[in-house]
Every structure is written in C-alpha cells, then in structure tokens.
Amino acid sequence: MNNRFLEEKMSVKRKLSITFFLFLFFILGVSIAFLCDSMIIDMINEILVFFGGGKIQLTGKYFHFLNTEFYYLSFGISSMLFYYVIFPVSKRGSSKKLGIVVLLFTFTMIIQTILYGYLEYMSCTMCDDGVLFLKRSSISYGSIAGVSIMLSVTILIFDKWIKKSKKIRSALKE
C-alpha cells in the first residue's frame, strides 16, 4: 500500500513538471512570435512582390502595435505541441526537429503567400494595366503566419504518430 502511494506521488510530480514545461514553452512561443513579428511581415511582403511577377505592388504603410490574437496563440500552442514532439528525444534529435519545423514553416508560409497573392490578383476586377495595388494594411499577416506554424508542427506530430504505430505493429508481429 505504501509503495502505491509513492508511485501516485511520483506521478503527480511528473504531471506537474510536464505542466510547468508546457506553460514555459507556451510563453516561449508567444515571445518568439512577438520578437519575429516585423520580420515575418517583411518576409510576406517580399514574397508577394517577388512571386507576383510585377503584377502585385504594395501600397501604403503598415503600422501595427500588436498582431492578431490568433497569431500569438498559434505560436504558443505550436510551441507546446513541439514540446510534445521532442519530449522523449535527445538534444541532437531536438535540434533536428527544430530545423525541420523552421523549414516547414518557411515553405508553408511561402506557399500560402503565393496562393494569397494569386487569389487577390484573380479577384481584382479594376486592376490598372494588369497591376494589382494591394494595401499593406489589408493583408492578413497573422493568419498566414499562424496557419503556417500550426501546419509545420502538425506535420511533425503526424510523423511521430506514424512512427509510433509502426513500432507497435512491429512489436505485435514479433
């Protein structure tokens, strides 16, 4: 009976430490989102202009104090999910997974921005000489970046689940 009490107590300590680290990773993700905000906005603007082929020009100034709530929450939640993915992995494996997340984030953000620019151009009915003048303040930067970070971490979670199910299947076959 005393041994079972110790096991339950250790389980509570473990749960508290995991909860603490999840909270810590959430704060880390929101902080990263806050620090990288202007860099992501500049990257989206450059992608729109570069892949617009001269048919998209950005106008106006974009002044913002904070991005959308979705943007910050998506970075915070994605950081928590990233902790779930790297929890049992070594430091080398963690840095490899972080690199994969950064590459996936960049790739999905580029694809999303290209699609956004293409759809905006296609919906333009009053474009002057075939050029779309897109206001910087009308672009949903937070949505593009938020969806991109969520997709990149979700891909890693699916990868982890697939590997885990393959391990279980191979263990059952033996």
Side-chain angles (χ1 to χ4, degrees):
M1 177 130 177
N2 194 15
N3 192 19
R4 184 174 184 196
F5 175 74
L6 288 174
E7 287 177 8
E8 288 178 13
K9 188 174 181 180
M10 292 297 282
S11 175
V12 170
K13 282 184 180 181
R14 180 171 165 81
K15 288 177 184 177
L16 284 175
S17 68
I18 289 173
T19 304
F20 172 74
F21 279 111
L22 285 174
F23 178 72
L24 195 67
F25 268 74
F26 181 81
I27 297 298
L28 178 70
V30 171
S31 301
I32 290 171
F34 184 75
L35 293 173
C36 295
D37 192 25
S38 61
M39 183 182 72
I40 289 174
I41 289 171
D42 291 341
M43 190 185 314
I44 290 172
N45 287 338
E46 289 176 17
I47 293 168
L48 277 171
V49 171
F50 182 76
F51 286 103
K55 296 183 180 186
I56 297 176
Q57 292 185 4
L58 301 177
T59 60
K61 293 182 179 180
Y62 181 70
F63 174 78
H64 75 286
F65 180 65
L66 291 174
N67 217 322
T68 62
E69 296 86 12
F70 174 72
Y71 171 74
Y72 294 108
L73 284 175
S74 63
F75 270 80
I77 292 170
S78 294
S79 295
M80 290 171 49
L81 293 173
F82 182 71
Y83 174 74
Y84 166 74
V85 170
I86 67 163
F87 181 62
V89 181
S90 66
K91 286 184 181 179
R92 182 175 180 219
S94 299
S95 60
K96 180 181 172 185
K97 299 259 186 211
L98 180 63
I100 291 171
V101 166
V102 170
L103 286 174
L104 286 172
F105 171 71
T106 305
F107 179 72
T108 55
M109 191 167 69
I110 289 170
I111 297 298
Q112 258 192 309
T113 306
I114 291 170
L115 287 174
Y116 175 78
Y118 179 73
L119 291 174
E120 285 292 319
Y121 183 75
M122 293 305 290
S123 66
C124 181
T125 56
M126 299 181 61
C127 292
D128 296 330
D129 298 325
V131 177
L132 169 65
F133 293 99
L134 192 60
K135 293 181 182 178
R136 292 181 203 271
S137 59
S138 68
I139 300 170
S140 180
Y141 298 104
S143 297
I144 292 171
V147 169
S148 296
I149 193 68
M150 294 294 280
L151 281 174
S152 61
V153 173
T154 304
I155 290 170
L156 280 183
I157 290 173
F158 282 131
D159 181 55
K160 181 178 180 173
W161 286 343
I162 289 170
K163 288 179 181 176
K164 194 173 186 179
S165 67
K166 285 181 181 178
K167 251 186 207 178
I168 292 172
R169 286 182 189 157
S170 66
L172 289 175
K173 287 181 181 178
E174 293 176 2

